[in-house]
Amino acid sequence: ALEQLIPNHDDMFEDVRGLGLMLGVKMNEAFDARSFVAHLRDHHGLLAVSAGQNVLRILPPLVIEENHIAEAIEKISAGARSFAEAKAA
């Protein structure tokens, strides 16, 4: 599901990395993952962490359901839109 973010937000995301539930989304060098993580937490209620300067790290619980995945993807997508808009302003 994270790979669907790339074509929808190709200005922000470059690649999905990792295996299983330990995943990271490499962000474009123009965006700081730590700032995006704070934006997701403060404006969209999603907890994530950064790995380095340009990777958004996703570590969901082992007992995750499909509806939780869909909700997280929607929050990341909405966060990407609002974060990019704020950066452009």
Side-chain angles (χ1 to χ4, degrees):
L2 288 172
E3 290 178 355
Q4 297 170 6
L5 291 172
I6 295 170
N8 294 333
H9 304 284
D10 60 352
D11 58 324
M12 182 177 273
F13 303 120
E14 292 182 8
D15 190 23
V16 176
R17 300 173 171 183
L19 297 170
L21 290 178
M22 187 182 289
L23 297 171
V25 181
K26 183 174 186 246
M27 298 181 70
N28 183 306
E29 295 292 329
F31 295 94
D32 178 52
R34 287 170 279 191
S35 298
F36 185 56
V37 164
H39 179 80
L40 287 174
R41 180 191 62 237
D42 296 343
H43 299 284
H44 299 277
L46 184 70
L47 295 177
V49 294
S50 62
Q53 187 172 351
N54 67 342
V55 176
L56 171 67
R57 205 163 108 193
I58 308 296
L59 294 168
L62 295 175
V63 291
I64 193 164
E65 297 176 9
E66 288 290 328
N67 62 324
H68 297 136
I69 294 169
E71 180 181 357
I73 295 299
E74 178 52 40
K75 287 184 177 189
I76 294 169
S77 185
R81 282 191 300 273
S82 60
F83 189 73
E85 289 170 4
K87 185 172 173 57

